[in-house]
Amino acid sequence: MQKNDTNKNKNKKKFSLTGKIFMGLIFGAILGLIVHYFVPEGYFRDNILVGGIFYFLGQGFIRLMQMLVVPLVFLSIIDGTRSMGDTETLGKVGVRIVIFYLFTTAVAITIALLLATTIKPGVGMNMKVGSNNYEGASGENISFVETILNMIPTNPFEALAKGDMLQVIIFAVIVGLIIARMSEKTETIGNIVTEANDLMMKMTMGVMKLAPIGVFCLIARTFSTLGYDVILSMASYMLTVLLGLGVQLMLVYMVLLTVFVRVNPFTFLKKYFSVMTFGFSTSSSSATVPININTLEDMGVDRRISSFTIPLGATVNMDGTAIMQGVAVIFIANAYNISLDMNDFVTIILTATLASIGTAGIPSVGLVTLAMVLTSVGIPTEGIAMIMGIDRILDMTRTCINLCGDAVGTIIVSNKENMFDKEKYKRKVES
């Protein structure tokens, strides 16, 4: 009884944070509209409310998020990469599942960019970046080769100091792989990295507790400046993300499952629905690992495969997050009238794909790594404010997609290794 009460209290806390952020969004929007339409222009509105309270508290929260980006990404990617082990130890299973995760993440971000450039969420908002004129990064024409070369840090400490996230990711992946390869010799430093990463995760969750206040002030400032126009843009952003998630589920995962395993994809959806429901309610891939492994075992997957691929997927496979980030980048760029070229799209795809290696399976951490993706193409991170409240709603939905990606990849790899029982898969559904 005591355990059940504890679990209920934990769920209430998680839901209450989501509820508080959502209420912050609603009340912030209402107050912003009231200020925009009913409070006359003047010192009180422009300096005390919009440029004072709303700006100070909202930007304070944004700065706290920005404070976390470099150390969180650096440590989590090292920890996530070393958890894979070196490829010799992992063997064919490790190589195949990592390739699958990275491939589907790259496909997810590509789908998001294609949909967002077609639907064009955020066009017409005409937002400005602070008091400075934004000139963008399109002044320089950097070739594709230079884009790839610029990913390699000449000085990793300088990359960390400047927040050059592509270089930080590359350096972190290399460090993580070397720690994994040296195994026993680097056990101490590996433990230090894990503990430091846990510290950053704890700090991230602590900052997220301030999200209701930050969202309230940021959204109130946005609506007080833009009025009703922002509502339509928010709706288009939300619908674009949901469409991208649907395409990833039905046209990527289900097709891959059908082609490589030759099973009925609707059988998968029927049997996996309970896991998706649990993931939706918790908004956490990590919290869903036990039920995920058990369900896949009931569907015919050998536990020796799923016990490795599912925890790994909860760390490195975040296709739903990648879709959100792709749509969000286009949305924010459109809102600020920033044009992106092909090199920018390549950078976004690479950054979001590599960032998925270190994105933890906890609620809302995708917002922190979104700041990294925005920075990589020179888009102002303050644009995150526009999507923060709505993103908490979408977070639950994209967690389902993250989980489905882990499960489909696990089934495909287990089938390749002749460790998948198709008869059990079918029998369980019929009963």
Side-chain angles (χ1 to χ4, degrees), residues 214-407:
V215 167
F216 175 82
C217 293
L218 291 164
I219 293 298
R221 185 168 185 262
T222 299
F223 275 71
S224 63
T225 305
L226 299 176
Y228 286 116
D229 294 340
V230 74
I231 297 176
L232 294 176
S233 295
M234 291 295 176
S236 66
Y237 163 75
M238 192 170 185
L239 290 173
T240 305
V241 173
L242 291 174
L243 180 59
L245 295 174
V247 170
Q248 182 74 5
L249 175 62
M250 300 308 298
L251 298 185
V252 178
Y253 296 152
M254 297 303 98
V255 169
L256 289 173
L257 193 62
T258 303
V259 170
F260 288 101
V261 190
R262 305 290 183 184
V263 293
N264 187 339
F266 296 104
T267 298
F268 168 83
L269 292 174
K270 182 178 178 181
K271 286 303 302 173
Y272 203 69
F273 183 73
S274 60
V275 180
M276 295 171 69
T277 303
F278 186 82
F280 184 86
S281 63
T282 60
S283 295
S284 173
S285 298
S286 297
T288 317
V289 166
I291 188 176
N292 205 347
I293 293 174
N294 290 334
T295 301
L296 286 172
E297 186 176 23
D298 290 339
M299 293 168 68
V301 176
D302 192 305
R303 184 176 279 265
R304 286 175 294 174
I305 296 287
S306 59
S307 62
F308 167 70
T309 59
I310 294 302
L312 178 63
T315 304
V316 306
N317 187 41
M318 297 289 165
D319 297 350
T321 302
I323 288 171
M324 176 276 290
Q325 291 176 342
V327 176
V329 168
I330 301 296
F331 170 72
I332 296 170
N334 288 339
Y336 287 103
N337 294 317
I338 299 170
S339 59
L340 300 173
D341 57 23
M342 187 55 66
N343 287 328
D344 292 324
F345 288 138
V346 171
T347 300
I348 293 167
I349 293 171
L350 291 171
T351 307
T353 301
L354 292 172
S356 71
I357 295 172
T359 302
I362 58 176
S364 299
V365 75
L367 287 176
V368 180
T369 54
L370 173 59
M372 174 194 67
V373 180
L374 292 172
T375 302
S376 70
V377 288
I379 297 174
T381 55
E382 63 190 70
I384 295 174
M386 295 183 289
I387 65 171
M388 193 166 287
I390 290 176
D391 184 73
R392 281 297 293 161
I393 304 167
L394 295 175
D395 191 20
M396 296 184 288
T397 307
R398 68 173 183 258
T399 298
C400 298
I401 302 302
N402 292 340
L403 295 170
C404 285
D406 299 345

Side-chain angles (χ1 to χ4, degrees), residues 107-118 240 244 322-328 330:
V107 170
I109 187 70
T110 303
I111 288 171
L113 293 176
L114 289 172
L115 288 174
T117 52
T118 302
T240 305
I323 288 171
M324 176 276 290
Q325 291 176 342
V327 176
I330 301 296

